[in-house]
Amino acid sequence: MTKSSTTVRQRIVAGAADMMSRRGLNATSIRETAKHARAPLGSTYHYFPEGKQQLVTEAVRYTGEWTAASLRRELEAGPVAGLGAFLALWRRIVVDSGFRAGCPVLAVSVEEPPTDEPPAALLAAADVFTEWENLLAGSLREHGVEPRKAAQLATLVVAAVEGTVAMCRAKRSPQPLDDTAEQLRDLILAAITD
Amino acid sequence: MTKSSTTVRQRIVAGAADMMSRRGLNATSIRETAKHARAPLGSTYHYFPEGKQQLVTEAVRYTGEWTAASLRRELEAGPVAGLGAFLALWRRIVVDSGFRAGCPVLAVSVEEPPTDEPPAALLAAADVFTEWENLLAGSLREHGVEPRKAAQLATLVVAAVEGTVAMCRAKRSPQPLDDTAEQLRDLILAAITD
DNA sequence: GTCTATACGAAGATAGAC
DNA sequence: GTCTATCTTCGTATAGAC
């Protein structure tokens, strides 16, 4: 594998994640992802021999890792800071794209694959959600929140952010994210000062 | 329009909503919705002359109305009862379908249509979210929550439920919904007893 | 009014030329 | 190793027979 190959591969994955977040899983075609990365169609199947399933799974994991890294970094300043960064990250993506982009992990979680059984991309999406929840829950526990409540709050935060991103897209407004942000912030503040 | 026509039409709309909630917007084809309703392909275009855009828009509104009716009914017993019914409704859909069905309104909100501009289905989705929020916010205000907080809480509830439904699908578990339910319940209880 | 047959495009995937 | 050309299937939509 040459150096430029690696770069093309990464461009394809990142581009696929972006397209999935806009059009959804099914409407993101291998053809278009290749064109977007200025790579011929055949190359995509060279880099991703298992086809679309492999590409979208990597796109989900890529988004998951990228977001988790940001979350991990910001959580060092505490749960409220982490929550703020998490919300700001998605707000930027939604607003900067003119309410066209969203979360590719959510896209995968909403569209059932044609085949009957355990699609790799959906399993990856579940893992990504769990990782984000674990990061948040861990930080909450470190700040005195009891484990059960920490886990529930973490789930609520991730779910609320994902749902709000979709609502902002539909309404073409950042208002839902701002409303959710304020309520979640109060909730986390109250939890860690109990 | 004959009596049986109306029935077929309704079957097509309800079937489309179900398929959208499972496969997503783009993977729900007119062909399959027709087959699902045991109607020939041509009939679908007879009932929905504007094609897929019209059908999916009606499916979104159908889901919105159906859910709003349930919400309105249960909110008569107060915000906590309304929230509980709202959560129970989606929990049933997700669990009874073996984690295959979800919310068609969310599906539409996550997938950008191929064309450039204001797709009717997305506008309908935004309206549905707003209606659900308004119902919840109204009930909260009636129970003494100040308008601004009532609106923010309502947004949080709708967003969290939508996001949690998607998470349950990905994880193939009702756990996220149960966690979210408990936290939202506490939050609403605290708000109305301030 | 209901439906069959079909036009046309685009999808996923692959064969095989370079 | 890289890419073009193509196979097959399925999508939306419509024309026109009953």
Side-chain angles (χ1 to χ4, degrees):
Chain A
M1 190 187 293
T2 67
K3 184 174 162 225
S4 82
S5 294
T6 305
T7 301
V8 169
R9 231 196 99 102
Q10 290 174 337
R11 268 215 314 271
I12 296 176
V13 171
D18 179 63
M19 290 176 52
M20 288 159 63
S21 88
R22 294 168 186 262
R23 318 181 174 187
L25 174 62
N26 284 294
T28 297
S29 70
I30 302 276
R31 283 180 143 80
E32 294 281 317
T33 55
K35 188 186 297 180
H36 189 272
R38 275 187 292 280
L41 178 61
S43 292
T44 308
Y45 283 94
H46 171 65
Y47 297 124
F48 307 92
E50 290 163 56
K52 182 169 182 174
Q53 198 56 229
Q54 183 183 1
L55 173 56
V56 300
T57 301
E58 291 200 30
V60 166
R61 282 202 261 263
Y62 167 82
T63 303
E65 278 310 308
W66 198 84
T67 305
S70 162
L71 199 49
R72 232 183 310 263
R73 192 169 54 240
E74 305 291 340
L75 280 172
E76 286 173 16
V80 174
L83 170 72
F86 191 51
L87 280 154
L89 186 156
W90 291 112
R91 191 183 197 282
R92 262 251 300 269
I93 288 173
V94 171
V95 173
D96 288 0
S97 68
F99 307 102
R100 283 192 272 269
C103 176
V105 187
L106 180 64
V108 166
S109 304
V110 162
E111 298 180 57
E112 182 180 66
T115 80
D116 283 337
E117 271 329 297
L122 195 58
L123 297 179
D127 288 345
V128 166
F129 286 141
T130 299
E131 180 174 19
W132 294 349
E133 290 175 72
N134 285 345
L135 287 171
L136 282 164
S139 174
L140 287 168
R141 284 196 308 273
E142 283 172 20
H143 285 73
V145 181
E146 63 170 336
R148 177 186 159 85
K149 186 174 182 184
Q152 289 185 342
L153 281 175
T155 299
L156 175 62
V157 167
V158 173
V161 171
E162 293 289 324
T164 310
V165 165
M167 283 174 67
C168 286
R169 275 188 42 124
K171 298 190 178 195
R172 310 236 173 237
S173 160
Q175 178 83 41
L177 261 172
D178 294 332
D179 287 346
T180 295
E182 193 168 331
Q183 286 302 311
L184 288 179
R185 186 175 178 278
D186 289 354
L187 191 57
I188 299 296
L189 262 178
I192 63 181
T193 55
D194 264 353
Chain B
M1 191 188 292
T2 67
K3 184 172 162 227
S4 81
S5 294
T6 306
T7 301
V8 171
R9 230 196 99 102
Q10 290 174 337
R11 268 215 315 271
I12 295 176
V13 171
D18 179 62
M19 289 176 54
M20 287 160 62
S21 88
R22 294 169 185 261
R23 317 181 176 188
L25 174 62
N26 283 296
T28 297
S29 68
I30 302 277
R31 279 182 144 76
E32 294 281 317
T33 54
K35 189 185 298 181
H36 190 272
R38 275 188 291 281
L41 179 60
S43 294
T44 308
Y45 284 94
H46 171 66
Y47 297 124
F48 307 91
E50 289 163 56
K52 184 169 181 174
Q53 197 57 228
Q54 183 184 1
L55 174 56
V56 299
T57 301
E58 291 200 29
V60 167
R61 282 203 261 263
Y62 168 82
T63 304
E65 278 309 308
W66 199 84
T67 305
S70 163
L71 199 49
R72 233 183 309 262
R73 192 168 54 240
E74 305 291 340
L75 279 173
E76 287 174 17
V80 174
L83 170 72
F86 191 52
L87 280 153
L89 185 157
W90 292 112
R91 191 183 196 281
R92 262 251 302 267
I93 288 173
V94 171
V95 173
D96 288 0
S97 67
F99 306 102
R100 282 192 272 268
C103 175
V105 187
L106 181 64
V108 165
S109 304
V110 162
E111 298 180 57
E112 181 180 67
T115 79
D116 284 336
E117 271 328 297
L122 195 58
L123 297 179
D127 287 345
V128 166
F129 285 141
T130 299
E131 180 174 20
W132 294 349
E133 290 174 72
N134 285 345
L135 287 171
L136 283 164
S139 174
L140 287 168
R141 286 196 307 271
E142 283 171 20
H143 286 72
V145 181
E146 64 169 336
R148 177 186 158 86
K149 186 174 182 184
Q152 289 185 343
L153 280 174
T155 298
L156 175 63
V157 166
V158 173
V161 171
E162 293 291 322
T164 311
V165 164
M167 283 174 67
C168 287
R169 275 188 43 124
K171 298 190 177 195
R172 311 236 172 236
S173 159
Q175 178 83 41
L177 261 172
D178 294 333
D179 287 346
T180 295
E182 194 169 330
Q183 286 303 313
L184 288 179
R185 186 175 177 280
D186 289 354
L187 191 57
I188 298 296
L189 263 177
I192 64 179
T193 55
D194 263 353

